[in-house]
Amino acid sequence: MALTGCKSTTALEQEYSSTQVVVGSGASAESRIVATIYAEALRGTGIGVSTDLGVGDRFDYVRALESGRISVVPDDTASLLAFFQRSNAQNTPDSAPDAQKAGGETAATSDEPGAVSAVEEALSRALPQYLRVSDAALAERGQTLIVDDGTARKWDLHSVSDLAAHCADANASLVAGLVSDAQVRAALAESYGCTFAVVDVVGAPADAADAVTQGLSEVGGVTTLSPAASMDGFTALEDDHDSLPAGNIIPMYRTASLGDRQVEALNNVAGELTTDDLAGMVRRVEVDGRSVADVVGEWRAQHGV
Protein backbone atom coordinates (compact mmCIF):
# COMPACT_ATOMS: atom_id res chain seq x y z
CA MET A 1 0.00 0.00 0.00
CA ALA A 2 1.22 3.53 -0.70
CA LEU A 3 1.84 5.70 2.34
CA THR A 4 -0.34 8.66 1.50
CA GLY A 5 -0.47 10.60 4.77
CA CYS A 6 -2.10 14.03 4.75
CA LYS A 7 -4.15 14.94 1.67
CA SER A 8 -3.92 18.72 1.85
CA THR A 9 -2.63 20.59 -1.20
CA THR A 10 0.15 23.09 -0.74
CA ALA A 11 1.30 25.99 -2.89
CA LEU A 12 4.25 23.86 -3.94
CA GLU A 13 1.87 21.24 -5.34
CA GLN A 14 -0.30 23.82 -7.09
CA GLU A 15 2.60 25.35 -8.99
CA TYR A 16 3.78 22.02 -10.38
CA SER A 17 2.34 20.46 -13.54
CA SER A 18 2.19 16.65 -13.52
CA THR A 19 1.87 16.32 -17.31
CA GLN A 20 5.59 15.49 -17.48
CA VAL A 21 7.22 13.37 -14.79
CA VAL A 22 10.96 13.77 -14.22
CA VAL A 23 12.77 10.96 -12.41
CA GLY A 24 15.94 12.15 -10.70
CA SER A 25 18.82 10.33 -9.05
CA GLY A 26 21.91 10.81 -6.96
CA ALA A 27 25.35 10.47 -8.49
CA SER A 28 26.00 6.81 -7.56
CA ALA A 29 25.56 3.94 -10.00
CA GLU A 30 23.04 2.40 -7.62
CA SER A 31 20.86 5.52 -7.60
CA ARG A 32 21.06 5.92 -11.38
CA ILE A 33 20.10 2.26 -11.88
CA VAL A 34 17.04 2.43 -9.64
CA ALA A 35 15.96 5.77 -11.13
CA THR A 36 16.16 4.26 -14.62
CA ILE A 37 14.05 1.30 -13.49
CA TYR A 38 11.45 3.70 -12.05
CA ALA A 39 11.44 5.78 -15.24
CA GLU A 40 10.81 2.76 -17.46
CA ALA A 41 8.06 1.47 -15.16
CA LEU A 42 6.33 4.86 -15.22
CA ARG A 43 6.60 5.08 -19.02
CA GLY A 44 4.69 1.82 -19.14
CA THR A 45 1.65 3.64 -17.72
CA GLY A 46 1.46 5.87 -20.79
CA ILE A 47 2.70 9.16 -19.30
CA GLY A 48 5.60 11.30 -20.49
CA VAL A 49 8.75 10.62 -18.46
CA SER A 50 12.24 12.10 -18.62
CA THR A 51 15.26 11.57 -16.38
CA ASP A 52 17.67 13.89 -14.60
CA LEU A 53 20.40 11.54 -13.43
CA GLY A 54 23.12 12.72 -11.06
CA VAL A 55 21.20 15.61 -9.44
CA GLY A 56 23.57 15.56 -6.46
CA ASP A 57 23.44 14.50 -2.83
CA ARG A 58 20.33 14.12 -0.66
CA PHE A 59 20.13 17.84 0.09
CA ASP A 60 20.27 18.57 -3.64
CA TYR A 61 17.53 16.21 -4.75
CA VAL A 62 15.22 17.08 -1.88
CA ARG A 63 15.53 20.71 -2.98
CA ALA A 64 14.90 19.63 -6.57
CA LEU A 65 11.73 17.84 -5.46
CA GLU A 66 10.62 20.89 -3.50
CA SER A 67 11.06 23.22 -6.47
CA GLY A 68 9.40 20.80 -8.92
CA ARG A 69 12.55 20.28 -11.00
CA ILE A 70 12.14 16.53 -10.45
CA SER A 71 9.10 14.44 -9.53
CA VAL A 72 10.52 11.14 -8.24
CA VAL A 73 13.84 10.00 -6.75
CA PRO A 74 15.07 6.72 -5.21
CA ASP A 75 16.61 6.50 -1.74
CA ASP A 76 16.35 4.16 1.24
CA THR A 77 14.05 4.20 4.24
CA ALA A 78 16.75 4.56 6.92
CA SER A 79 18.52 7.44 5.19
CA LEU A 80 15.32 9.36 4.49
CA LEU A 81 13.95 8.85 7.99
CA ALA A 82 17.16 10.15 9.55
CA PHE A 83 17.28 13.09 7.13
CA PHE A 84 13.73 14.31 7.70
CA GLN A 85 13.69 13.65 11.44
CA ARG A 86 16.83 15.74 11.76
CA SER A 87 15.30 18.48 9.61
CA ASN A 88 12.07 18.43 11.60
CA ALA A 89 13.92 18.52 14.92
CA GLN A 90 15.93 21.56 13.79
CA ASN A 91 12.77 23.36 12.70
CA THR A 92 10.77 22.42 15.81
CA PRO A 93 13.19 21.83 18.72
CA ASP A 94 10.42 20.72 21.10
CA SER A 95 9.81 17.66 18.90
CA ALA A 96 13.43 16.46 18.99
CA PRO A 97 12.92 13.77 21.69
CA ASP A 98 10.06 12.19 19.73
CA ALA A 99 12.13 12.27 16.56
CA GLN A 100 14.96 10.46 18.29
CA LYS A 101 12.54 7.88 19.64
CA ALA A 102 11.05 7.26 16.20
CA GLY A 103 14.53 6.93 14.79
CA GLY A 104 15.01 3.84 16.91
CA GLU A 105 12.26 1.99 15.07
CA THR A 106 14.40 -0.29 12.96
CA ALA A 107 11.98 -3.06 12.16
CA ALA A 108 12.87 -4.45 8.76
CA THR A 109 10.47 -4.38 5.86
CA SER A 110 8.53 -7.63 5.68
CA ASP A 111 9.28 -10.11 2.93
CA GLU A 112 5.60 -9.77 2.00
CA PRO A 113 5.41 -7.29 -0.92
CA GLY A 114 3.25 -4.34 0.09
CA ALA A 115 3.71 -4.88 3.83
CA VAL A 116 4.48 -1.65 5.66
CA SER A 117 7.22 -1.63 8.30
CA ALA A 118 7.48 0.60 11.35
CA VAL A 119 10.27 2.51 9.59
CA GLU A 120 8.05 3.22 6.58
CA GLU A 121 5.26 4.42 8.83
CA ALA A 122 7.65 6.70 10.73
CA LEU A 123 9.04 7.99 7.42
CA SER A 124 5.56 8.78 6.12
CA ARG A 125 4.87 10.84 9.25
CA ALA A 126 8.21 12.66 8.98
CA LEU A 127 7.82 13.74 5.33
CA PRO A 128 6.67 17.26 4.46
CA GLN A 129 3.16 17.45 3.01
CA TYR A 130 4.34 17.83 -0.58
CA LEU A 131 6.22 14.50 -0.52
CA ARG A 132 5.10 10.87 -0.40
CA VAL A 133 6.66 7.41 -0.60
CA SER A 134 5.18 4.25 -2.07
CA ASP A 135 6.13 0.65 -1.25
CA ALA A 136 9.67 -0.11 -0.14
CA ALA A 137 11.50 -2.66 -2.27
CA LEU A 138 12.84 -5.99 -1.12
CA ALA A 139 16.30 -4.58 -1.92
CA GLU A 140 18.13 -3.29 1.14
CA ARG A 141 21.04 -0.87 1.37
CA GLY A 142 23.06 -1.23 4.54
CA GLN A 143 26.38 0.06 5.80
CA THR A 144 29.35 -2.25 6.29
CA LEU A 145 33.00 -1.89 7.25
CA ILE A 146 35.79 -3.40 5.16
CA VAL A 147 39.50 -3.95 5.78
CA ASP A 148 42.07 -5.45 3.47
CA ASP A 149 42.77 -9.14 3.92
CA GLY A 150 46.22 -8.44 5.35
CA THR A 151 44.79 -6.30 8.15
CA ALA A 152 42.10 -8.91 8.79
CA ARG A 153 44.78 -11.58 9.27
CA LYS A 154 47.06 -9.32 11.34
CA TRP A 155 44.32 -8.33 13.78
CA ASP A 156 42.26 -11.56 13.43
CA LEU A 157 39.19 -9.64 12.31
CA HIS A 158 35.89 -11.25 11.44
CA SER A 159 33.35 -8.88 12.99
CA VAL A 160 33.00 -5.30 14.13
CA SER A 161 33.36 -6.55 17.71
CA ASP A 162 36.81 -7.89 16.76
CA LEU A 163 37.70 -4.46 15.36
CA ALA A 164 36.63 -2.58 18.50
CA ALA A 165 39.92 -3.17 20.33
CA HIS A 166 41.83 -1.57 17.43
CA CYS A 167 39.59 1.41 16.62
CA ALA A 168 41.58 3.90 18.70
CA ASP A 169 44.67 3.13 16.59
CA ALA A 170 42.94 2.92 13.21
CA ASN A 171 42.14 5.44 10.51
CA ALA A 172 38.80 5.12 8.74
CA SER A 173 37.39 6.47 5.49
CA LEU A 174 33.61 6.99 5.65
CA VAL A 175 31.28 8.35 3.00
CA ALA A 176 29.96 11.88 3.60
CA GLY A 177 26.35 12.19 4.65
CA LEU A 178 24.09 11.86 7.65
CA VAL A 179 23.64 8.10 7.44
CA SER A 180 26.98 6.91 6.08
CA ASP A 181 29.09 9.23 8.23
CA ALA A 182 27.46 10.61 11.39
CA GLN A 183 25.11 7.69 12.02
CA VAL A 184 27.78 5.08 11.37
CA ARG A 185 30.13 6.74 13.85
CA ALA A 186 27.35 7.07 16.42
CA ALA A 187 26.34 3.41 16.03
CA LEU A 188 29.94 2.24 16.33
CA ALA A 189 30.54 4.31 19.46
CA GLU A 190 27.29 3.30 21.16
CA SER A 191 27.17 -0.40 20.30
CA TYR A 192 30.83 -1.32 20.04
CA GLY A 193 32.73 1.37 21.96
CA CYS A 194 34.59 2.02 18.70
CA THR A 195 35.95 5.52 18.01
CA PHE A 196 38.53 5.81 15.25
CA ALA A 197 41.77 7.75 15.67
CA VAL A 198 41.10 9.66 12.44
CA VAL A 199 38.06 9.72 10.15
CA ASP A 200 38.55 10.85 6.55
CA VAL A 201 35.22 11.81 4.97
CA VAL A 202 35.09 10.78 1.31
CA GLY A 203 32.56 11.16 -1.47
CA ALA A 204 31.63 7.58 -2.42
CA PRO A 205 32.06 3.96 -1.30
CA ALA A 206 34.61 3.44 -4.10
CA ASP A 207 36.73 6.24 -2.58
CA ALA A 208 36.62 4.52 0.81
CA ALA A 209 37.67 1.22 -0.77
CA ASP A 210 40.51 2.95 -2.65
CA ALA A 211 41.76 4.48 0.61
CA VAL A 212 41.97 1.00 2.14
CA THR A 213 43.72 -0.40 -0.93
CA GLN A 214 46.27 2.42 -0.89
CA GLY A 215 46.96 2.01 2.82
CA LEU A 216 45.60 5.47 3.67
CA SER A 217 43.01 3.96 6.02
CA GLU A 218 42.78 0.64 7.77
CA VAL A 219 38.97 0.69 7.64
CA GLY A 220 36.54 1.72 4.90
CA GLY A 221 32.84 2.32 5.23
CA VAL A 222 30.93 1.09 2.17
CA THR A 223 27.37 0.04 1.43
CA THR A 224 26.31 -3.58 1.23
CA LEU A 225 25.46 -2.91 -2.44
CA SER A 226 29.00 -1.75 -3.22
CA PRO A 227 31.24 -4.17 -5.16
CA ALA A 228 33.90 -3.67 -2.49
CA ALA A 229 31.65 -5.42 0.05
CA SER A 230 32.24 -8.72 -1.76
CA MET A 231 35.43 -8.07 -3.74
CA ASP A 232 38.57 -10.21 -3.48
CA GLY A 233 41.21 -8.56 -1.31
CA PHE A 234 38.72 -7.11 1.17
CA THR A 235 37.18 -8.60 4.29
CA ALA A 236 33.71 -7.31 5.14
CA LEU A 237 33.25 -7.31 8.90
CA GLU A 238 30.08 -8.82 10.32
CA ASP A 239 27.86 -6.30 12.10
CA ASP A 240 27.39 -8.77 14.95
CA HIS A 241 25.33 -6.32 17.04
CA ASP A 242 23.10 -5.44 14.06
CA SER A 243 23.70 -1.76 14.78
CA LEU A 244 24.83 -0.19 11.50
CA PRO A 245 22.14 1.69 9.54
CA ALA A 246 20.21 -0.29 6.92
CA GLY A 247 17.12 0.62 4.93
CA ASN A 248 15.08 -0.66 2.02
CA ILE A 249 15.13 1.08 -1.35
CA ILE A 250 12.06 3.29 -1.76
CA PRO A 251 10.74 5.89 -4.23
CA MET A 252 10.00 9.38 -2.91
CA TYR A 253 7.77 11.56 -5.06
CA ARG A 254 5.91 14.86 -5.17
CA THR A 255 2.35 14.32 -4.00
CA ALA A 256 0.66 15.86 -7.04
CA SER A 257 2.94 14.29 -9.64
CA LEU A 258 1.75 10.67 -9.75
CA GLY A 259 -1.66 9.08 -10.11
CA ASP A 260 -2.81 5.67 -8.89
CA ARG A 261 -1.53 3.86 -12.00
CA GLN A 262 1.92 5.35 -11.58
CA VAL A 263 2.10 4.49 -7.88
CA GLU A 264 1.00 0.94 -8.70
CA ALA A 265 3.81 0.70 -11.28
CA LEU A 266 6.37 1.70 -8.65
CA ASN A 267 4.87 -0.81 -6.22
CA ASN A 268 5.31 -3.54 -8.84
CA VAL A 269 9.02 -2.70 -8.98
CA ALA A 270 9.20 -2.94 -5.19
CA GLY A 271 7.97 -6.52 -5.26
CA GLU A 272 10.61 -7.58 -7.82
CA LEU A 273 13.80 -5.67 -6.95
CA THR A 274 15.95 -7.67 -4.51
CA THR A 275 19.25 -6.90 -2.81
CA ASP A 276 21.06 -9.47 -4.96
CA ASP A 277 19.52 -8.01 -8.12
CA LEU A 278 20.63 -4.49 -7.33
CA ALA A 279 24.10 -5.46 -6.08
CA GLY A 280 24.64 -7.45 -9.28
CA MET A 281 23.59 -4.52 -11.47
CA VAL A 282 25.86 -2.14 -9.56
CA ARG A 283 28.79 -4.51 -10.03
CA ARG A 284 28.15 -4.83 -13.77
CA VAL A 285 28.17 -1.04 -14.10
CA GLU A 286 31.06 -0.17 -11.75
CA VAL A 287 33.34 -3.18 -12.33
CA ASP A 288 32.44 -4.52 -15.76
CA GLY A 289 31.86 -1.10 -17.34
CA ARG A 290 28.36 -1.88 -18.62
CA SER A 291 25.92 0.95 -19.25
CA VAL A 292 23.06 1.60 -16.85
CA ALA A 293 20.58 1.30 -19.72
CA ASP A 294 21.88 -2.15 -20.67
CA VAL A 295 21.81 -3.67 -17.20
CA VAL A 296 18.38 -2.21 -16.48
CA GLY A 297 17.07 -3.51 -19.82
CA GLU A 298 18.27 -7.01 -18.99
CA TRP A 299 16.73 -6.89 -15.51
CA ARG A 300 13.38 -5.65 -16.83
CA ALA A 301 13.29 -8.36 -19.48
CA GLN A 302 13.75 -10.98 -16.75
CA HIS A 303 11.19 -9.50 -14.37
CA GLY A 304 8.59 -7.95 -16.66
CA VAL A 305 8.43 -4.55 -14.96
Side-chain angles (χ1 to χ4, degrees), residues 143-145 174 178-189 194 196 221 244-245:
Q143 304 294 321
T144 191
L145 300 181
L174 303 178
L178 178 61
V179 166
S180 52
D181 174 16
Q183 276 194 287
V184 167
R185 284 193 273 185
L188 289 172
C194 170
F196 296 113
L244 296 180

PDB file of all heavy atoms in Angstrom, residues 143-145 174 178-189 194 196 221 244-245:
ATOM      1  N   GLN A 143      25.008  -0.406   5.674  1.00  0.00           N
ATOM      2  CA  GLN A 143      26.380   0.064   5.795  1.00  0.00           C
ATOM      3  C   GLN A 143      27.238  -1.078   6.331  1.00  0.00           C
ATOM      4  O   GLN A 143      26.801  -1.838   7.201  1.00  0.00           O
ATOM      5  CB  GLN A 143      26.453   1.260   6.748  1.00  0.00           C
ATOM      6  CG  GLN A 143      25.554   2.413   6.376  1.00  0.00           C
ATOM      7  CD  GLN A 143      25.952   3.074   5.071  1.00  0.00           C
ATOM      8  OE1 GLN A 143      27.133   3.226   4.784  1.00  0.00           O
ATOM      9  NE2 GLN A 143      24.973   3.482   4.288  1.00  0.00           N
ATOM     10  N   THR A 144      28.437  -1.215   5.813  1.00  0.00           N
ATOM     11  CA  THR A 144      29.346  -2.248   6.290  1.00  0.00           C
ATOM     12  C   THR A 144      30.765  -1.704   6.320  1.00  0.00           C
ATOM     13  O   THR A 144      31.082  -0.729   5.615  1.00  0.00           O
ATOM     14  CB  THR A 144      29.259  -3.509   5.405  1.00  0.00           C
ATOM     15  OG1 THR A 144      29.948  -4.593   6.028  1.00  0.00           O
ATOM     16  CG2 THR A 144      29.848  -3.262   4.026  1.00  0.00           C
ATOM     17  N   LEU A 145      31.604  -2.290   7.140  1.00  0.00           N
ATOM     18  CA  LEU A 145      33.003  -1.893   7.246  1.00  0.00           C
ATOM     19  C   LEU A 145      33.867  -2.948   6.580  1.00  0.00           C
ATOM     20  O   LEU A 145      33.653  -4.149   6.770  1.00  0.00           O
ATOM     21  CB  LEU A 145      33.421  -1.743   8.716  1.00  0.00           C
ATOM     22  CG  LEU A 145      32.658  -0.711   9.545  1.00  0.00           C
ATOM     23  CD1 LEU A 145      33.217  -0.666  10.966  1.00  0.00           C
ATOM     24  CD2 LEU A 145      32.713   0.672   8.916  1.00  0.00           C
ATOM     25  N   LEU A 174      35.060   7.157   5.680  1.00  0.00           N
ATOM     26  CA  LEU A 174      33.610   6.993   5.653  1.00  0.00           C
ATOM     27  C   LEU A 174      33.013   7.956   4.645  1.00  0.00           C
ATOM     28  O   LEU A 174      33.524   9.058   4.450  1.00  0.00           O
ATOM     29  CB  LEU A 174      33.012   7.254   7.036  1.00  0.00           C
ATOM     30  CG  LEU A 174      33.528   6.399   8.198  1.00  0.00           C
ATOM     31  CD1 LEU A 174      32.859   6.818   9.500  1.00  0.00           C
ATOM     32  CD2 LEU A 174      33.306   4.919   7.925  1.00  0.00           C
ATOM     33  N   LEU A 178      24.633  12.111   6.327  1.00  0.00           N
ATOM     34  CA  LEU A 178      24.090  11.861   7.651  1.00  0.00           C
ATOM     35  C   LEU A 178      24.140  10.395   8.020  1.00  0.00           C
ATOM     36  O   LEU A 178      24.567  10.018   9.104  1.00  0.00           O
ATOM     37  CB  LEU A 178      22.641  12.362   7.724  1.00  0.00           C
ATOM     38  CG  LEU A 178      21.906  12.125   9.042  1.00  0.00           C
ATOM     39  CD1 LEU A 178      22.612  12.834  10.174  1.00  0.00           C
ATOM     40  CD2 LEU A 178      20.460  12.572   8.947  1.00  0.00           C
ATOM     41  N   VAL A 179      23.692   9.519   7.111  1.00  0.00           N
ATOM     42  CA  VAL A 179      23.640   8.101   7.444  1.00  0.00           C
ATOM     43  C   VAL A 179      25.010   7.459   7.371  1.00  0.00           C
ATOM     44  O   VAL A 179      25.460   6.803   8.294  1.00  0.00           O
ATOM     45  CB  VAL A 179      22.644   7.361   6.526  1.00  0.00           C
ATOM     46  CG1 VAL A 179      22.818   5.859   6.629  1.00  0.00           C
ATOM     47  CG2 VAL A 179      21.231   7.741   6.913  1.00  0.00           C
ATOM     48  N   SER A 180      25.737   7.652   6.274  1.00  0.00           N
ATOM     49  CA  SER A 180      26.977   6.913   6.080  1.00  0.00           C
ATOM     50  C   SER A 180      28.145   7.486   6.863  1.00  0.00           C
ATOM     51  O   SER A 180      29.190   6.862   6.942  1.00  0.00           O
ATOM     52  CB  SER A 180      27.329   6.863   4.595  1.00  0.00           C
ATOM     53  OG  SER A 180      27.316   8.150   4.029  1.00  0.00           O
ATOM     54  N   ASP A 181      28.001   8.629   7.464  1.00  0.00           N
ATOM     55  CA  ASP A 181      29.089   9.227   8.231  1.00  0.00           C
ATOM     56  C   ASP A 181      28.677   9.367   9.699  1.00  0.00           C
ATOM     57  O   ASP A 181      29.091   8.583  10.556  1.00  0.00           O
ATOM     58  CB  ASP A 181      29.449  10.585   7.612  1.00  0.00           C
ATOM     59  CG  ASP A 181      30.480  11.356   8.419  1.00  0.00           C
ATOM     60  OD1 ASP A 181      31.142  10.750   9.265  1.00  0.00           O
ATOM     61  OD2 ASP A 181      30.612  12.567   8.203  1.00  0.00           O
ATOM     62  N   ALA A 182      27.814  10.328   9.991  1.00  0.00           N
ATOM     63  CA  ALA A 182      27.463  10.611  11.388  1.00  0.00           C
ATOM     64  C   ALA A 182      26.783   9.431  12.062  1.00  0.00           C
ATOM     65  O   ALA A 182      27.126   9.067  13.203  1.00  0.00           O
ATOM     66  CB  ALA A 182      26.566  11.849  11.450  1.00  0.00           C
ATOM     67  N   GLN A 183      25.826   8.797  11.388  1.00  0.00           N
ATOM     68  CA  GLN A 183      25.114   7.695  12.022  1.00  0.00           C
ATOM     69  C   GLN A 183      25.992   6.466  12.186  1.00  0.00           C
ATOM     70  O   GLN A 183      25.863   5.731  13.172  1.00  0.00           O
ATOM     71  CB  GLN A 183      23.850   7.342  11.243  1.00  0.00           C
ATOM     72  CG  GLN A 183      22.663   8.217  11.602  1.00  0.00           C
ATOM     73  CD  GLN A 183      21.371   7.629  11.091  1.00  0.00           C
ATOM     74  OE1 GLN A 183      21.121   7.654   9.898  1.00  0.00           O
ATOM     75  NE2 GLN A 183      20.569   7.103  11.983  1.00  0.00           N
ATOM     76  N   VAL A 184      26.864   6.222  11.231  1.00  0.00           N
ATOM     77  CA  VAL A 184      27.777   5.084  11.366  1.00  0.00           C
ATOM     78  C   VAL A 184      28.689   5.281  12.575  1.00  0.00           C
ATOM     79  O   VAL A 184      28.866   4.376  13.399  1.00  0.00           O
ATOM     80  CB  VAL A 184      28.605   4.885  10.085  1.00  0.00           C
ATOM     81  CG1 VAL A 184      29.762   3.925  10.332  1.00  0.00           C
ATOM     82  CG2 VAL A 184      27.718   4.366   8.958  1.00  0.00           C
ATOM     83  N   ARG A 185      29.251   6.482  12.702  1.00  0.00           N
ATOM     84  CA  ARG A 185      30.126   6.740  13.845  1.00  0.00           C
ATOM     85  C   ARG A 185      29.366   6.634  15.163  1.00  0.00           C
ATOM     86  O   ARG A 185      29.878   6.082  16.148  1.00  0.00           O
ATOM     87  CB  ARG A 185      30.769   8.120  13.708  1.00  0.00           C
ATOM     88  CG  ARG A 185      31.889   8.136  12.684  1.00  0.00           C
ATOM     89  CD  ARG A 185      32.722   9.387  12.775  1.00  0.00           C
ATOM     90  NE  ARG A 185      32.174  10.464  11.986  1.00  0.00           N
ATOM     91  CZ  ARG A 185      32.765  11.648  11.825  1.00  0.00           C
ATOM     92  NH1 ARG A 185      33.916  11.894  12.433  1.00  0.00           N
ATOM     93  NH2 ARG A 185      32.215  12.578  11.080  1.00  0.00           N
ATOM     94  N   ALA A 186      28.138   7.147  15.188  1.00  0.00           N
ATOM     95  CA  ALA A 186      27.345   7.069  16.418  1.00  0.00           C
ATOM     96  C   ALA A 186      27.029   5.621  16.772  1.00  0.00           C
ATOM     97  O   ALA A 186      27.114   5.219  17.949  1.00  0.00           O
ATOM     98  CB  ALA A 186      26.061   7.872  16.260  1.00  0.00           C
ATOM     99  N   ALA A 187      26.658   4.813  15.772  1.00  0.00           N
ATOM    100  CA  ALA A 187      26.336   3.411  16.028  1.00  0.00           C
ATOM    101  C   ALA A 187      27.567   2.651  16.515  1.00  0.00           C
ATOM    102  O   ALA A 187      27.473   1.819  17.432  1.00  0.00           O
ATOM    103  CB  ALA A 187      25.779   2.768  14.762  1.00  0.00           C
ATOM    104  N   LEU A 188      28.715   2.926  15.920  1.00  0.00           N
ATOM    105  CA  LEU A 188      29.936   2.244  16.333  1.00  0.00           C
ATOM    106  C   LEU A 188      30.310   2.604  17.769  1.00  0.00           C
ATOM    107  O   LEU A 188      30.701   1.743  18.566  1.00  0.00           O
ATOM    108  CB  LEU A 188      31.083   2.613  15.392  1.00  0.00           C
ATOM    109  CG  LEU A 188      31.002   2.038  13.978  1.00  0.00           C
ATOM    110  CD1 LEU A 188      32.084   2.647  13.093  1.00  0.00           C
ATOM    111  CD2 LEU A 188      31.133   0.514  14.011  1.00  0.00           C
ATOM    112  N   ALA A 189      30.192   3.876  18.108  1.00  0.00           N
ATOM    113  CA  ALA A 189      30.539   4.312  19.464  1.00  0.00           C
ATOM    114  C   ALA A 189      29.588   3.727  20.497  1.00  0.00           C
ATOM    115  O   ALA A 189      30.011   3.246  21.561  1.00  0.00           O
ATOM    116  CB  ALA A 189      30.539   5.835  19.539  1.00  0.00           C
ATOM    117  N   CYS A 194      33.570   1.828  19.736  1.00  0.00           N
ATOM    118  CA  CYS A 194      34.586   2.021  18.700  1.00  0.00           C
ATOM    119  C   CYS A 194      34.599   3.475  18.251  1.00  0.00           C
ATOM    120  O   CYS A 194      33.617   3.968  17.689  1.00  0.00           O
ATOM    121  CB  CYS A 194      34.287   1.107  17.511  1.00  0.00           C
ATOM    122  SG  CYS A 194      35.276   1.436  16.027  1.00  0.00           S
ATOM    123  N   PHE A 196      37.301   5.866  16.025  1.00  0.00           N
ATOM    124  CA  PHE A 196      38.532   5.812  15.249  1.00  0.00           C
ATOM    125  C   PHE A 196      39.469   6.959  15.601  1.00  0.00           C
ATOM    126  O   PHE A 196      39.029   8.049  16.000  1.00  0.00           O
ATOM    127  CB  PHE A 196      38.218   5.845  13.755  1.00  0.00           C
ATOM    128  CG  PHE A 196      37.453   4.649  13.276  1.00  0.00           C
ATOM    129  CD1 PHE A 196      36.143   4.767  12.816  1.00  0.00           C
ATOM    130  CD2 PHE A 196      38.031   3.389  13.279  1.00  0.00           C
ATOM    131  CE1 PHE A 196      35.425   3.674  12.376  1.00  0.00           C
ATOM    132  CE2 PHE A 196      37.326   2.273  12.836  1.00  0.00           C
ATOM    133  CZ  PHE A 196      36.016   2.414  12.391  1.00  0.00           C
ATOM    134  N   GLY A 221      34.281   2.477   5.091  1.00  0.00           N
ATOM    135  CA  GLY A 221      32.837   2.324   5.226  1.00  0.00           C
ATOM    136  C   GLY A 221      32.203   2.315   3.847  1.00  0.00           C
ATOM    137  O   GLY A 221      32.304   3.297   3.103  1.00  0.00           O
ATOM    138  N   LEU A 244      24.555  -1.143  12.574  1.00  0.00           N
ATOM    139  CA  LEU A 244      24.826  -0.186  11.504  1.00  0.00           C
ATOM    140  C   LEU A 244      23.549   0.086  10.712  1.00  0.00           C
ATOM    141  O   LEU A 244      22.710  -0.809  10.540  1.00  0.00           O
ATOM    142  CB  LEU A 244      25.929  -0.717  10.586  1.00  0.00           C
ATOM    143  CG  LEU A 244      27.298  -0.890  11.250  1.00  0.00           C
ATOM    144  CD1 LEU A 244      28.312  -1.432  10.245  1.00  0.00           C
ATOM    145  CD2 LEU A 244      27.791   0.422  11.859  1.00  0.00           C
ATOM    146  N   PRO A 245      23.378   1.325  10.239  1.00  0.00           N
ATOM    147  CA  PRO A 245      22.135   1.692   9.543  1.00  0.00           C
ATOM    148  C   PRO A 245      21.882   0.833   8.310  1.00  0.00           C
ATOM    149  O   PRO A 245      22.800   0.506   7.560  1.00  0.00           O
ATOM    150  CB  PRO A 245      22.369   3.152   9.151  1.00  0.00           C
ATOM    151  CG  PRO A 245      23.431   3.633  10.074  1.00  0.00           C
ATOM    152  CD  PRO A 245      24.303   2.457  10.364  1.00  0.00           C
TER     153      PRO A 245
END
